[in-house]
Amino acid sequence: MRKKIVAGNWKMNLLDEEVINFIVDFNSRKNEIESDSEIIILPASIYLDTMISMPDWDIKIGAQNCSQFNNGAYTGEISAAMLRDFDYDSENLHYCLVGHSERREYFNEQNDVLAEKVNRLIENGLKPIYCCGEELQHRESESHFDWVQAQIEEGLFHLKEEELKQVVIAYEPVWAIGTGKTATSNQAQEMHAFIRSLIAKKYGDSTANSISILYGGSCKPENASELFDQPDIDGGLIGGASLKVDSFIQIINSF
Ligand code: PEP
């Protein structure tokens, strides 16, 4: 009923030749893919064009960030309208990450700004992948549910029901990102069920049950099946393990 999704967040990795090699290799191994999950890759913005123009590349593509502003004097920024404009005809570019913990931490992006980014994307027909997740200190002080609740409410709960249905949520405990420490499947399931219950309280069960919630944080071939088997985990947002075709395909096949 809900879409299963495996999304690869390439962050600031891979240069043009490596991007092309990945796509050529991935395309030649498409017959190994056994799962019907939606596959998304989120390259650095400068390579969106390369990915969109590759022949036989039918994987969905997303950006890693966009501006909260429509247009104007914001040097270095890329607007949601520009992302939309980029791929208006082929419609490969569907998604954009919002609020990845690295953006929250290094670029000081707060929930109110992220809510604006979500708005710009939806206004332009793109789907936000909205990231949330607690830091280690929140888990240790048992305030992790409150923290994630505030991220969800402040970033998303101003949306109308039909708008919220355009959003994919990624729960990524910050202490698990790039550290090799994965949340246990119980810890992840517990938080995913909690997020879904928040949505159900505000928008009703049917909307809550229609929204894909992905897990991210050191997800790899060895642990993906156990995570994806949980009833409220609808796939993964994968960092390091999405940079190699082998491990990415193994994770995609973990459903
Ligand atoms: C991420 O950056 O979204 C992520 C989950 O990274 P990793 O898989 O490397 O922990």
Side-chain angles (χ1 to χ4, degrees):
M1 160 194 51
R2 288 191 286 275
K3 213 185 259 181
K4 304 274 182 202
I5 297 174
V6 179
N9 173 18
W10 282 358
K11 311 191 189 194
M12 202 170 71
N13 292 301
L14 305 188
L15 298 176
D16 196 47
E17 198 182 335
E18 296 165 305
V19 170
I20 292 170
N21 287 344
F22 184 103
I23 298 172
V24 170
D25 191 13
F26 191 92
N27 272 347
S28 72
R29 297 176 57 180
K30 266 191 204 156
N31 58 343
E32 292 175 33
I33 294 179
E34 291 154 6
S35 131
D36 59 0
S37 55
E38 181 160 276
I39 304 166
I40 307 171
I41 293 192
L42 309 141
S45 290
I46 195 170
Y47 299 122
L48 287 168
D49 196 35
T50 305
M51 299 195 77
I52 289 165
S53 358
M54 287 296 284
D56 300 327
W57 180 248
D58 50 13
I59 304 303
K60 301 278 182 285
I61 299 166
Q64 296 175 13
N65 185 32
C66 73
S67 172
Q68 69 268 39
F69 302 111
N70 278 318
N71 61 283
Y74 302 105
T75 302
E77 291 290 274
I78 296 177
S79 71
M82 289 169 178
L83 291 175
R84 183 73 211 146
D85 198 30
F86 205 12
D87 189 33
Y88 195 74
D89 293 330
S90 78
E91 302 238 330
N92 260 342
L93 178 61
H94 283 221
Y95 291 96
C96 183
L97 285 181
V98 177
H100 190 279
S101 68
E102 287 149 16
R103 300 236 33 113
R104 291 178 185 267
E105 182 181 352
Y106 305 131
F107 302 95
N108 198 26
E109 294 188 358
Q110 312 274 340
N111 294 333
D112 55 344
V113 166
L114 301 175
E116 287 303 323
K117 293 189 181 210
V118 166
N119 291 343
R120 295 298 85 72
L121 289 167
I122 290 177
E123 285 159 12
N124 285 284
L126 293 163
K127 295 175 196 293
I129 303 177
Y130 182 81
C131 304
C132 60
E134 80 284 359
E135 292 169 31
L136 190 56
Q137 59 189 16
H138 304 122
R139 191 159 273 270
E140 285 175 347
S141 62
E142 295 186 2
S143 59
H144 48 300
F145 289 112
D146 292 343
W147 185 259
V148 170
Q149 179 166 357
Q151 290 178 323
I152 295 286
E153 289 181 350
E154 292 169 24
L156 296 178
F157 277 11
H158 61 286
L159 296 174
K160 299 191 191 94
E161 188 177 354
E162 286 314 306
E163 293 171 333
L164 188 80
K165 286 183 179 167
Q166 302 305 309
V167 176
V168 172
I169 294 175
Y171 167 60
E172 300 202 303
V174 180
W175 47 272
I177 298 180
T179 58
K181 278 190 202 164
T182 322
T184 64
S185 50
N186 285 345
Q187 285 172 323
Q189 164 57 26
E190 183 181 41
M191 186 60 87
H192 282 229
F194 173 71
I195 293 169
R196 206 177 300 288
S197 76
L198 294 175
I199 301 169
K201 255 184 242 156
K202 166 106 178 148
Y203 295 94
D205 285 342
S206 146
T207 297
N209 287 328
S210 72
I211 292 188
S212 302
I213 307 180
L214 315 183
Y215 169 80
S218 299
C219 184
K220 39 191 184 257
E222 298 76 39
N223 57 27
S225 297
E226 194 184 333
L227 288 159
F228 296 173
D229 274 352
Q230 303 303 311
D232 287 290
I233 300 183
D234 306 308
L237 179 56
I238 319 298
S242 70
L243 293 168
K244 294 267 173 344
V245 173
D246 247 345
S247 45
F248 195 48
I249 290 183
Q250 284 179 55
I251 293 174
I252 294 166
N253 284 341
S254 297
F255 278 110

